[in-house]
Amino acid sequence: MATAKKAKKPAAKKPAAKKPAAKKAAPKKAAAKKPAAKKAPAKKAAPKKAAAKKPAKKAAAKKPAVKRKPNAAFMKPMTPSSVLAAVVGALPLPRTEITKKIWDYIKKNKLQDAINRRMINADEKLKAIFGGKNQVSMFEMTKLVSKHVK
């Protein structure tokens, strides 16, 4: 498709280049303008590509202005298991709120590892959620917690 567009662009520009040559009667100048005419379409094609990119950037700039809708799957209330209910409560909560409550519990009890902040040291309640592991990464935590929600 790109080659077809390139073939059409020089064809459209060549008649425009011939019109100024037709106005001037000197054949030497017309011959001199032909190589220049070949160079000019190549130079003009590059600015058009840059111009084509600019509207794409403007369209991308407009997208963030639209308010983002939350995913309904994340907002659906999930019932925590009895083990998880000891940390977050027994009421059905969305996954996002369950994660927030777990992080509140971790920060309140200072269970985040002091050296490697990505690691969470489990106490007795969290050890049951984490499958008996003493320490898990924050990324692994979400996977382990998902087993305890219905």
Side-chain angles (χ1 to χ4, degrees), residues 8-20:
K8 290 180 182 178
K9 287 180 183 177
K13 291 179 184 176
K14 284 182 182 178
K18 288 181 182 178
K19 287 180 182 178

Side-chain angles (χ1 to χ4, degrees), residues 129-147:
I129 297 168
F130 297 159
K133 294 183 179 181
N134 289 328
Q135 194 177 48
V136 296
S137 72
M138 62 174 66
F139 306 109
E140 189 181 4
M141 178 191 74
T142 55
K143 181 176 89 171
L144 295 168
V145 168
S146 69
K147 294 177 184 175

Side-chain angles (χ1 to χ4, degrees), residues 65-85:
V66 177
K67 190 171 181 180
R68 198 172 151 211
K69 295 178 184 177
N71 189 342
F74 288 117
M75 302 313 288
K76 181 182 174 188
M78 307 290 283
T79 307
S81 68
S82 59
V83 177
L84 185 59

Side-chain angles (χ1 to χ4, degrees), residues 15-84:
K18 288 181 182 178
K19 287 180 182 178
K23 289 179 183 177
K24 295 182 180 180
K28 290 182 182 178
K29 290 182 181 178
K33 292 219 174 199
K34 284 183 182 178
K38 288 181 182 178
K39 291 179 184 176
K43 289 180 183 177
K44 289 181 183 178
K48 285 189 178 183
K49 287 180 184 176
K53 290 180 184 178
K54 288 179 184 177
K57 289 180 184 177
K58 289 179 183 177
K62 290 179 184 177
K63 287 182 182 178
V66 177
K67 190 171 181 180
R68 198 172 151 211
K69 295 178 184 177
N71 189 342
F74 288 117
M75 302 313 288
K76 181 182 174 188
M78 307 290 283
T79 307
S81 68
S82 59
V83 177
L84 185 59

